[in-house]
Amino acid sequence: MVTTRDLRERAGEEPITMLTAYDAPTAEIVDQVGVDVILVGDSMGNAVLGYDTTLPVTLEEMHSRTAAVARATEEALVVADMPFLSFGIDDAESVENAGRLLKESNADAVKIESGRHTVELTERLTRVGIPVMAHVGLTPQQVNQLGGYARQGTTEDAARDLLELAIAHQQAGAFSIVLEHVPANVAARVTEELSIPTIGIGAGGDCDGQVLVITDVLGIEAESPSFSKQYADLRGEMKRAVEEFKREVESGAFPAEEHSHVEEGLEGLD
Ligand code: KIV
C-alpha cells in the first residue's frame, strides 16, 4: 500500500506517478500497473459527467466515484478531490465533508484547490488526521474568478505569491502539492524550496511527480490541453467497436451460434 509517508520520502528521489480514475475498471488497471496515486479528480465533471466545468460536481457524485475507485484499488493511494463549495464556506462543515470521504468512501486523503483561505483549513484537517494534497497554480474551480484557464504564475509577483502559497500549505501540514499549468521554471523553484513532493500537470519536468487526466491519456476526449499527452486513441477504437456492433446487428451477423444457447427438452413449446 502506498502511503502519504512513502510519497513524502520519495520527494527528490524517485518520480511519483499519479493518474485520475472515476470508475472501478479503470482504477483496477491503473492500480495493477503500479501507478502510485489515483486521484478521483473533480475533472470527472468534464471528463465523464458531461458538465462544461468542474463547478457542478457534487459531494454525492464524488462519494459514489471515490467508493467505486477505492473498491477496485489495492496498492495505490486514493485521493478524493473536494468539489467546489464543499469546503471554504464553513470550516466545521469542510472538515465533516472531507472526513466523510475517508470514513464512508474509503479515500486515503483529500485534495483541495488551494488559496489563502485554505491554509487554516489544511492545518485543521491534518490535525484531525485527514491528509491533504494541496493544489496551486491553475485551480479550475476558480475559472470564473480567473476569467479562463490561462497559465498562472507568469509574472514575478504572481510567481512569488504562488511560492508563498505553496510554502504556507506545506507548513499547514499538506503532504504533497499539485502545481497546475505554471511555467516550468516556477515549478522547479517551488520544488526546490519545498520538502513535500510537488506533482505537476503542465508544469514541466522538474516536479517530483506528474499527473494527467486519464481520459486525456487514453485519447477518449475530443480535445485535450496542449500540456497533456495521448498514449492511445480509445475514442477511435470505441467508435470502431460501436459501429461494428451496429453493423452486425443490422446484418444479422450478431448474435452468432456461439453467443446463443438452445435448451434441450423444451419441444413442448413448439
Ligand atoms: O481534478 C483533477 O483531475 C485535477 C488534476 C488535473 C490535478 O485536479
Side-chain angles (χ1 to χ4, degrees), residues 60 91 104 108 115 143 161 168 216 250 261:
E60 287 63 38
D91 263 8
E104 295 170 23
D108 300 308
V143 60
D161 279 354
D216 290 329
E250 287 169 356
H261 169 77

Side-chain angles (χ1 to χ4, degrees), residues 20 39 41-43 81 111 135 178 201 213:
T20 67
L39 171 65
D42 66 351
S43 51
D81 228 349
K111 179 170 81 59
H135 179 163
V178 169
I201 174 163
V213 169

Side-chain angles (χ1 to χ4, degrees), residues 122-135:
T122 300
E123 199 175 331
R124 204 160 157 185
L125 289 171
T126 52
R127 215 179 317 128
V128 296
I130 301 170
V132 175
M133 177 178 278
H135 179 163

Side-chain angles (χ1 to χ4, degrees), residues 241-262:
V242 171
E243 278 169 356
E244 196 169 331
F245 164 78
K246 181 173 184 288
R247 216 172 22 251
E248 287 203 351
V249 170
E250 287 169 356
S251 71
F254 178 83
E257 241 174 73
E258 68 266 28
H259 306 117
S260 308
H261 169 77
V262 176

